[in-house]
Amino acid sequence: GAGVSQSPSNKVTEKGKDVELRCDPISGHTALYWYRQRLGQGLEFLIYFQGNSAPDKSGLPSDRFSAERTGESVSTLTIQRTQQEDSAVYLCASSWTGMAGANVLTFGAGSRLTVL
Amino acid sequence: DQQVKQNSPSLSVQEGRISILNCDYTNSMFDYFLWYKKYPAEGPTFLISISSIKDKNEDGRFTVFLNKSAKHLSLHIVPSQPGDSAVYFCAARENTDKLIFGTGTRLQVFP
């Protein structure tokens, strides 16, 4: 597609339930990132996939969070046993790496998660 | 530990004047710096970047200045327009492709 697509755009769930958020990156982009933005805060790095390399999971806040990526395409971020503090906008981004210069991340519109 | 800091949460500027958004960082290994702009209910969009080997990069109304000794960069917008009203994020990269973002500055340009 022309841009990064995320679904659902909005998700309201009850505390303790599991949620899955999906990201379709730009075709041909080898790198995929997940960030989140909690209310009034900045963009918090969660996880980064680059080709066939092991993902950088250093930003995942707890073991309730996990993410997978199928090849160089779709990624799913899963949050198990959601807590109220997980409420945030979850942003996915992709980029084409391997060229000189700053890799420019292209972001999706985000998935707004509200945990009641 | 916040490696990229934007200490001003908000800024209000009159249309036509200059907007200056500031960003400080702590990691001297950052090799690229980027500015992103975010409108409500949309993802951030790339605005301008600068390599650590340069001290200035200009693109139309937008100029980014880098002071490595002070670990400080700034984004200048001149002249400011009402459509520039958004949240601006500073980001930095350390030798990998992962970007570390600041907390953002909300810019409001009023007529």
Side-chain angles (χ1 to χ4, degrees):
Chain A
V4 177
S5 177
Q6 291 188 246
S7 61
S9 55
N10 274 289
K11 175 73 176 178
V12 180
T13 191
E14 293 179 348
K15 178 181 171 181
K17 302 275 190 178
D18 297 352
V19 296
E20 280 191 357
L21 307 176
R22 177 187 167 106
C23 173
D24 282 275
I26 292 173
S27 178
H29 279 190
T30 56
L32 186 146
Y33 313 74
W34 284 97
Y35 287 82
R36 74 175 175 182
Q37 185 180 21
R38 289 189 280 189
L39 190 64
Q41 304 202 8
L43 299 178
E44 179 185 358
F45 168 78
L46 297 177
I47 188 169
Y48 158 55
F49 296 90
Q50 169 57 291
N52 294 322
S53 302
D56 177 350
K57 304 179 181 180
S58 60
L60 293 179
S62 78
D63 58 8
R64 296 186 295 105
F65 287 72
S66 63
E68 292 185 350
R69 187 181 186 192
T70 307
E72 291 186 351
S73 60
V74 171
S75 175
T76 302
L77 177 69
T78 301
I79 309 172
Q80 295 179 312
R81 304 180 303 282
T82 51
Q83 303 293 313
Q84 289 182 332
E85 63 263 27
D86 299 334
S87 296
V89 176
Y90 288 81
L91 291 158
C92 176
S94 68
S95 72
W96 181 50
T97 60
M99 58 185 292
N103 55 305
V104 175
L105 275 62
T106 302
F107 282 86
S111 292
R112 180 178 296 277
L113 174 66
T114 303
V115 182
L116 301 177
Chain B
D1 178 34
Q2 190 74 24
Q3 295 188 72
V4 179
K5 301 177 186 179
Q6 294 177 256
N7 293 318
S8 298
S10 64
L11 175 68
S12 189
V13 172
Q14 188 174 32
E15 181 178 7
R17 303 277 185 149
I18 185 171
S19 295
I20 300 176
L21 296 103
N22 293 304
C23 178
D24 297 290
Y25 61 95
T26 57
N27 188 341
S28 58
M29 299 303 293
F30 287 143
D31 64 349
Y32 267 95
F33 302 89
L34 303 87
W35 284 93
Y36 278 77
K37 172 174 153 179
K38 186 180 185 301
Y39 292 118
E42 296 182 12
T45 55
F46 171 72
L47 201 52
I48 192 169
S49 66
I50 188 167
S51 163
S52 60
I53 64 173
K54 295 189 174 182
D55 55 17
K56 177 182 175 180
N57 188 26
E58 190 173 352
D59 183 3
R61 296 185 298 112
F62 303 90
T63 303
V64 56
F65 295 92
L66 176 61
N67 182 335
K68 284 187 67 177
S69 60
K71 294 191 176 67
H72 177 84
L73 67 155
S74 60
L75 174 67
H76 292 210
I77 306 172
V78 57
S80 301
Q81 300 173 354
D84 296 329
S85 298
V87 177
Y88 289 79
F89 290 98
C90 169
R93 189 188 83 166
E94 180 197 353
N95 282 338
T96 66
D97 298 313
K98 183 172 80 179
L99 295 185
I100 307 296
F101 284 83
T103 51
T105 297
R106 181 177 301 279
L107 173 66
Q108 183 179 3
V109 180
F110 59 93

